[in-house]
Every structure is written in structure tokens, then in C-alpha cells.
Amino acid sequence: MKKLAVSLAVGVASLLSLGAAVVPATAQAQPGVVVRVAPPPPRPEHVPPPRRGYVWAPGHYEWNGHRYVWNKGAYMRARNGYGYRAPQWDERDGQWEYRRGGWDRDHDGVPNAQDRRPDNPNRS
């Protein structure tokens, strides 16, 4: 009986550790969020005066799996040599795809975390 309990515990631990290894890899492979309902228009925001060493990241909607949720704009500490691209929703064939914003070193409009060529020398 004790041997069966140990075997079950080892089996469950193995399955849980396998799931922990597979889930992050699957999550990274997904291209982004795709929704069939258009996002609401952006909310008007009061943008505070510019702050030295900071970049304004405008507010935007994100999809939480059930509905759109507004994220307020905020200042972010600037990163030397990088440009900031705000998140956006793109419509394609009646569906809306969310593109995350982020920091971009080569200024090609694709955040470095998602860029296949993050240090592309062809700057626009």
C-alpha cells in the first residue's frame, strides 16, 4: 500500500513538472490575442507635461478573455537607444489582433522581444 502511494506521488509530480515545462513554451509560441469584437474607441486621457528621462505610454484596451479592459497611460523610464511602440489592435478579415507594445532598438516598429532581426541596421 505504501509503495502504491509513493508511485502515485512520483507519477503526479512527473505530470505536474511536465506541464510546467510545456505551458510556457506553448504560451510563447502563440502569435497574440485574436478577438472577433472590435475594441471600443480609446478613452480620452489627460497627458501630464513631459518628464525628462521618461516616455509617455498611452492608455489602451486589452482583452481579458471575456471583455476589453482599459489600461491607463503612464510614464515609463526611457531606455537609451530604444524607441517605444504603443500596443495596438489591428483588424484582419473581421477579426482583431492585439499587438503588444514594447521597446524597439532598431526603430522598425517591431518590439525587440518579437523581432526576428532585433538589431536590423536598416532604420526608418
Side-chain angles (χ1 to χ4, degrees), residues 43-98:
R43 293 182 181 180
E45 288 188 296
H46 169 72
V47 180
R51 294 174 59 186
R52 186 179 194 155
Y54 287 82
V55 174
W56 177 254
H60 62 279
Y61 281 101
E62 289 185 7
W63 183 256
N64 72 358
H66 305 287
R67 63 184 176 88
Y68 287 101
V69 177
W70 179 254
N71 288 315
K72 290 196 260 185
Y75 273 109
M76 298 172 53
R77 184 175 294 279
R79 294 179 63 186
N80 194 16
Y82 288 78
Y84 179 75
R85 186 181 64 82
Q88 65 185 42
W89 286 94
D90 295 322
E91 191 268 333
R92 290 192 181 115
D93 300 324
Q95 295 184 336
W96 292 84
E97 183 177 349
Y98 180 71

Side-chain angles (χ1 to χ4, degrees), residues 6-23:
V6 170
S7 295
L8 284 174
V10 170
V12 168
S14 298
L15 286 174
L16 290 176
S17 66
L18 177 63
V22 172
V23 171

